[in-house]
Amino acid sequence: MDQNRLLQTLADLPLGAVRYFDRLGSTNDEAAAWISQGAPDLALVVAEEQTAGRGRAGRSWITVPGSSLAFSLALYPTERNALFLPRLTALGALAVKDTLQYDYGLPAQIKWPNDVLIRRRKVAGILSEAQWTGDQMGALILGIGINVAASSVGSALRLEGDLRFPATYLEAELERPVDRLELLHNVLAELLRWRRKISSPEFLQSWEASLAFRGERVMVISGQSTGKDGLPVDLESQPPTILEGLIVGLAPDGSLKLRIDSGEVMTLRAGEVRLRPVEMTALR
Ligand code: BTN
């Protein structure tokens, strides 16, 4: 990968600006620094290698060269889609899931709120981080990591080590090499398409129809969702709540509806949660 090939491949997409790095700490950190210097909407940071990549809940997401896609996109909420902030965080997952399903024919699903799975194994993770000025969200950084080659799975496994959530990578699922630039192009095209429809019922329906473990018994380990508009809160700073139940679907704001044993349907906001099927908890 290099800046020229990247620019050529993405030339038909209305991105704000593109920066490529052979080696970087974290594309999310680079995007944050760029935003503070005035990055435009849809500014994209791509790195071949991340030495301090981050996942949710303070976990690390190391990206070794040639293994993965690691990129971050700066999104400034328009007045209209500011009303749909929780959906902004789902944009990445929906875009990756649709790309894998429609462009690569893979049975991708979304582990709520925004991991992407293939056959119950994690293939991509999304870290969305908001920049606030008072109670106004200035920008959202959508950081997306997709496991492409075998060498990506070591890092994904490290990331998930505490959860024992199995990982996979695209080249194993497809049994052929994957062009990472083409994949990036396709994911960004889907993301731009969904962003235009973020307030539509179709957005929610598609997200809901993509949910992994629907109708299955799952365990949700959650920090108390005091994050603004459902954006991630620091799990470490809050006592975790553990709930078990059946996934029923999504509420209009993207919260997860979980039917617990008493029959009551709980609504969980997309704060910092960890979700897994109960059958997997035997691995803990
Ligand atoms: C998770 O599954 O916990 C989220 C992983 C997000 C990883 C991506 S890779 C690009 C971007 N830069 C980072 O430092 N993290 C995200």
Side-chain angles (χ1 to χ4, degrees):
M1 227 188 263
D2 60 53
Q3 173 98 9
N4 283 343
R5 285 194 58 214
L6 190 62
L7 289 176
Q8 259 171 28
T9 310
L10 305 180
D12 65 323
L13 300 177
L15 296 170
V18 179
R19 285 187 184 171
Y20 166 79
F21 297 83
D22 285 330
R23 192 163 197 250
L24 199 58
S26 152
T27 55
N28 268 34
D29 291 346
E30 187 64 31
W34 193 6
I35 287 168
S36 62
Q37 293 158 9
D41 186 43
L42 295 172
L44 174 71
V45 178
V46 182
E48 177 70 50
E49 177 180 6
Q50 288 191 122
T51 53
R54 294 180 287 106
R56 289 198 306 277
R59 295 186 296 262
S60 71
W61 182 284
I62 306 298
T63 307
V64 299
S67 67
S68 319
L69 264 186
F71 61 97
S72 301
L73 198 61
L75 299 171
Y76 293 87
T78 61
E79 217 169 286
R80 201 159 147 261
N81 67 30
L83 299 169
F84 295 93
L85 289 186
R87 295 190 187 190
L88 271 184
T89 70
L91 253 185
L94 204 47
V96 173
K97 174 251 146 198
D98 270 4
T99 303
L100 298 185
Q101 182 175 345
Y102 300 120
D103 296 336
Y104 296 84
L106 290 168
Q109 290 185 308
I110 297 174
K111 177 162 86 77
W112 185 87
N114 52 13
D115 283 343
V116 182
L117 310 182
I118 298 174
R119 292 181 254 273
R120 301 166 85 91
R121 291 172 177 269
K122 178 164 171 170
V123 71
I126 286 120
L127 177 66
S128 61
E129 296 181 303
Q131 293 202 338
W132 295 91
T133 314
D135 58 1
Q136 291 274 12
M137 192 177 90
L140 184 83
I141 300 164
L142 258 192
I144 302 186
I146 307 178
N147 302 332
V148 177
S151 50
S152 62
V153 169
S155 45
L157 279 177
R158 262 203 305 285
L159 164 78
E160 294 293 351
D162 58 334
L163 296 177
R164 311 275 203 279
F165 203 91
T168 188
Y169 55 98
L170 289 182
E171 292 187 348
E173 297 296 332
L174 291 167
E175 299 182 342
R176 65 167 173 87
V178 169
D179 182 329
R180 286 178 300 146
L181 284 177
E182 186 180 290
L183 174 66
L184 175 63
H185 176 278
N186 295 347
V187 170
L188 289 169
E190 276 300 328
L191 198 148
L192 293 169
R193 192 178 70 82
W194 275 122
R195 191 194 196 191
R196 287 192 289 274
K197 297 201 278 186
I198 200 154
S199 52
S200 68
E202 191 192 343
F203 186 99
L204 192 74
Q205 281 154 14
S206 195
W207 186 12
E208 188 170 61
S210 311
L211 286 181
F213 314 126
R214 208 160 157 200
E216 281 185 50
R217 198 165 174 80
V218 297
M219 176 186 271
V220 180
I221 308 162
S222 155
Q224 289 161 2
S225 299
T226 53
K228 287 177 181 150
D229 294 300
L231 293 164
V233 291
D234 180 6
L235 186 66
E236 308 304 321
S237 68
Q238 310 207 27
T241 314
I242 300 180
L243 280 174
E244 245 184 69
L246 292 185
I247 293 185
V248 177
L250 293 175
D253 69 350
S255 299
L256 185 73
K257 292 194 286 186
L258 194 72
R259 179 170 294 114
I260 57 173
D261 288 345
S262 66
E264 191 187 347
V265 175
M266 307 282 294
T267 301
L268 307 174
R269 296 183 67 195
E272 185 55 69
V273 295
R274 292 180 276 175
L275 180 151
R276 62 175 57 199
V278 165
E279 70 188 34
M280 254 180 214
T281 58
L283 293 167
R284 287 193 342 143

Short mmCIF file of all heavy atoms in Angstrom, two decimals, residues 26-28 50 52-56 59 61 63 70-72 115 122 125-127 143-145 159-160, ligand 1:
data_model
loop_
_atom_site.label_atom_id
_atom_site.label_comp_id
_atom_site.label_asym_id
_atom_site.label_seq_id
_atom_site.Cartn_x
_atom_site.Cartn_y
_atom_site.Cartn_z
N SER A 26 -1.67 4.85 16.25
CA SER A 26 -3.08 4.49 16.06
C SER A 26 -3.72 5.46 15.06
O SER A 26 -3.54 6.68 15.19
CB SER A 26 -3.81 4.56 17.41
OG SER A 26 -5.18 4.85 17.22
N THR A 27 -4.46 4.93 14.11
CA THR A 27 -5.11 5.82 13.13
C THR A 27 -6.16 6.69 13.83
O THR A 27 -6.41 7.82 13.41
CB THR A 27 -5.78 5.01 12.00
OG1 THR A 27 -6.67 4.05 12.56
CG2 THR A 27 -4.74 4.32 11.13
N ASN A 28 -6.78 6.19 14.92
CA ASN A 28 -7.74 7.03 15.64
C ASN A 28 -7.05 8.23 16.27
O ASN A 28 -7.57 9.34 16.25
CB ASN A 28 -8.46 6.21 16.74
CG ASN A 28 -9.76 5.60 16.23
OD1 ASN A 28 -9.86 5.23 15.08
ND2 ASN A 28 -10.75 5.50 17.10
N GLN A 50 0.09 -0.55 12.67
CA GLN A 50 -0.22 0.24 13.88
C GLN A 50 0.55 -0.36 15.04
O GLN A 50 0.43 -1.56 15.32
CB GLN A 50 -1.71 0.16 14.22
CG GLN A 50 -2.63 0.93 13.30
CD GLN A 50 -4.03 1.02 13.89
OE1 GLN A 50 -4.55 2.09 14.10
NE2 GLN A 50 -4.65 -0.12 14.15
N ALA A 52 0.38 1.04 18.19
CA ALA A 52 -0.37 1.27 19.44
C ALA A 52 -1.85 1.38 19.13
O ALA A 52 -2.56 2.23 19.67
CB ALA A 52 0.14 2.54 20.12
N GLY A 53 -2.31 0.51 18.22
CA GLY A 53 -3.73 0.50 17.86
C GLY A 53 -4.57 0.13 19.08
O GLY A 53 -4.12 -0.61 19.96
N ARG A 54 -5.75 0.70 19.13
CA ARG A 54 -6.59 0.50 20.31
C ARG A 54 -7.92 -0.14 19.93
O ARG A 54 -8.47 0.12 18.87
CB ARG A 54 -6.86 1.83 21.01
CG ARG A 54 -5.61 2.43 21.60
CD ARG A 54 -5.84 3.75 22.30
NE ARG A 54 -6.08 4.84 21.37
CZ ARG A 54 -7.25 5.41 21.15
NH1 ARG A 54 -8.32 4.98 21.79
NH2 ARG A 54 -7.37 6.40 20.30
N GLY A 55 -8.41 -1.00 20.83
CA GLY A 55 -9.75 -1.55 20.70
C GLY A 55 -10.62 -0.95 21.78
O GLY A 55 -10.20 -0.02 22.49
N ARG A 56 -11.82 -1.48 21.94
CA ARG A 56 -12.69 -0.93 22.97
C ARG A 56 -12.22 -1.38 24.35
O ARG A 56 -11.46 -2.33 24.48
CB ARG A 56 -14.13 -1.38 22.70
CG ARG A 56 -14.70 -0.68 21.48
CD ARG A 56 -16.22 -0.77 21.45
NE ARG A 56 -16.67 -2.15 21.57
CZ ARG A 56 -16.75 -2.98 20.53
NH1 ARG A 56 -16.39 -2.59 19.34
NH2 ARG A 56 -17.17 -4.21 20.71
N ARG A 59 -8.50 -2.14 25.35
CA ARG A 59 -7.70 -3.25 24.83
C ARG A 59 -6.82 -2.77 23.67
O ARG A 59 -7.08 -1.74 23.08
CB ARG A 59 -8.62 -4.39 24.38
CG ARG A 59 -9.39 -5.01 25.54
CD ARG A 59 -10.18 -6.21 25.08
NE ARG A 59 -11.20 -5.87 24.12
CZ ARG A 59 -12.48 -5.68 24.40
NH1 ARG A 59 -12.90 -5.78 25.64
NH2 ARG A 59 -13.35 -5.40 23.45
N TRP A 61 -5.02 -3.22 19.86
CA TRP A 61 -5.32 -3.80 18.54
C TRP A 61 -4.10 -3.52 17.67
O TRP A 61 -4.00 -2.49 17.01
CB TRP A 61 -6.58 -3.15 17.96
CG TRP A 61 -7.02 -3.70 16.63
CD1 TRP A 61 -6.45 -3.44 15.41
CD2 TRP A 61 -8.13 -4.57 16.37
NE1 TRP A 61 -7.13 -4.10 14.42
CE2 TRP A 61 -8.17 -4.80 14.97
CE3 TRP A 61 -9.09 -5.18 17.17
CZ2 TRP A 61 -9.12 -5.61 14.37
CZ3 TRP A 61 -10.04 -5.98 16.57
CH2 TRP A 61 -10.07 -6.20 15.20
N THR A 63 -1.63 -3.89 14.60
CA THR A 63 -1.79 -4.23 13.19
C THR A 63 -0.40 -4.47 12.60
O THR A 63 0.42 -3.55 12.57
CB THR A 63 -2.46 -3.06 12.43
OG1 THR A 63 -3.67 -2.72 13.12
CG2 THR A 63 -2.79 -3.44 11.01
N ALA A 70 -6.57 -1.08 8.48
CA ALA A 70 -6.70 -0.27 9.69
C ALA A 70 -6.87 1.17 9.25
O ALA A 70 -5.97 1.73 8.63
CB ALA A 70 -5.47 -0.42 10.58
N PHE A 71 -8.03 1.72 9.52
CA PHE A 71 -8.25 3.11 9.09
C PHE A 71 -9.25 3.81 9.99
O PHE A 71 -10.02 3.16 10.73
CB PHE A 71 -8.74 3.15 7.63
CG PHE A 71 -10.05 2.45 7.36
CD1 PHE A 71 -11.24 3.17 7.32
CD2 PHE A 71 -10.09 1.09 7.14
CE1 PHE A 71 -12.45 2.53 7.07
CE2 PHE A 71 -11.30 0.43 6.88
CZ PHE A 71 -12.47 1.16 6.84
N SER A 72 -9.22 5.13 9.94
CA SER A 72 -10.15 5.94 10.73
C SER A 72 -10.70 7.05 9.85
O SER A 72 -9.99 7.61 9.01
CB SER A 72 -9.44 6.58 11.93
OG SER A 72 -8.88 5.57 12.74
N ASP A 115 -19.35 -5.01 16.32
CA ASP A 115 -18.32 -5.93 15.83
C ASP A 115 -18.91 -6.66 14.63
O ASP A 115 -20.13 -6.85 14.56
CB ASP A 115 -17.98 -7.00 16.87
CG ASP A 115 -17.09 -6.48 17.98
OD1 ASP A 115 -16.47 -5.42 17.79
OD2 ASP A 115 -17.02 -7.14 19.03
N LYS A 122 -15.07 -13.28 15.02
CA LYS A 122 -14.90 -11.85 14.78
C LYS A 122 -13.92 -11.59 13.64
O LYS A 122 -12.79 -12.06 13.65
CB LYS A 122 -14.40 -11.19 16.06
CG LYS A 122 -14.14 -9.71 15.92
CD LYS A 122 -14.02 -9.06 17.29
CE LYS A 122 -13.55 -7.64 17.20
NZ LYS A 122 -13.66 -6.93 18.47
N GLY A 125 -13.45 -5.10 13.91
CA GLY A 125 -13.86 -4.37 15.11
C GLY A 125 -13.90 -2.88 14.81
O GLY A 125 -13.16 -2.39 13.94
N ILE A 126 -14.76 -2.21 15.51
CA ILE A 126 -14.91 -0.77 15.27
C ILE A 126 -14.78 -0.02 16.59
O ILE A 126 -15.41 -0.40 17.59
CB ILE A 126 -16.27 -0.47 14.59
CG1 ILE A 126 -16.19 -0.90 13.12
CG2 ILE A 126 -16.59 1.03 14.60
CD1 ILE A 126 -17.12 -1.91 12.70
N LEU A 127 -13.96 0.99 16.59
CA LEU A 127 -13.80 1.84 17.77
C LEU A 127 -14.25 3.24 17.39
O LEU A 127 -13.61 3.91 16.58
CB LEU A 127 -12.32 1.86 18.19
CG LEU A 127 -11.97 2.76 19.37
CD1 LEU A 127 -12.62 2.25 20.65
CD2 LEU A 127 -10.46 2.86 19.55
N GLY A 143 -13.05 4.31 13.82
CA GLY A 143 -11.84 3.53 13.55
C GLY A 143 -12.23 2.10 13.25
O GLY A 143 -12.94 1.46 14.03
N ILE A 144 -11.76 1.60 12.12
CA ILE A 144 -12.19 0.27 11.67
C ILE A 144 -10.97 -0.61 11.43
O ILE A 144 -10.02 -0.21 10.75
CB ILE A 144 -13.03 0.39 10.37
CG1 ILE A 144 -14.24 1.29 10.63
CG2 ILE A 144 -13.45 -1.00 9.88
CD1 ILE A 144 -15.23 1.39 9.49
N GLY A 145 -10.99 -1.78 11.99
CA GLY A 145 -9.93 -2.76 11.77
C GLY A 145 -10.54 -4.03 11.21
O GLY A 145 -11.49 -4.57 11.79
N LEU A 159 -6.18 -9.19 21.25
CA LEU A 159 -7.19 -8.23 21.66
C LEU A 159 -8.30 -8.92 22.45
O LEU A 159 -8.76 -8.45 23.46
CB LEU A 159 -7.81 -7.56 20.42
CG LEU A 159 -9.12 -6.83 20.67
CD1 LEU A 159 -8.86 -5.50 21.33
CD2 LEU A 159 -9.90 -6.67 19.40
N GLU A 160 -8.73 -10.06 21.93
CA GLU A 160 -9.87 -10.73 22.54
C GLU A 160 -9.46 -11.71 23.64
O GLU A 160 -10.27 -12.46 24.13
CB GLU A 160 -10.66 -11.49 21.46
CG GLU A 160 -11.32 -10.58 20.42
CD GLU A 160 -12.42 -9.72 21.01
OE1 GLU A 160 -12.81 -9.94 22.17
OE2 GLU A 160 -12.88 -8.83 20.30
C1 BTN B 1 -12.56 -3.52 18.98
O1 BTN B 1 -12.95 -4.54 18.43
O2 BTN B 1 -12.40 -3.45 20.21
C2 BTN B 1 -12.31 -2.31 18.13
C3 BTN B 1 -11.05 -2.46 17.31
C4 BTN B 1 -10.81 -1.22 16.46
C5 BTN B 1 -9.49 -1.27 15.74
C6 BTN B 1 -9.32 -0.14 14.76
S1 BTN B 1 -7.93 -0.36 13.71
C7 BTN B 1 -8.09 1.27 13.13
C8 BTN B 1 -8.49 2.13 14.31
N1 BTN B 1 -7.33 2.61 15.02
C9 BTN B 1 -7.25 2.14 16.26
O3 BTN B 1 -6.35 2.39 17.08
N2 BTN B 1 -8.30 1.32 16.49
C10 BTN B 1 -9.18 1.26 15.35
#
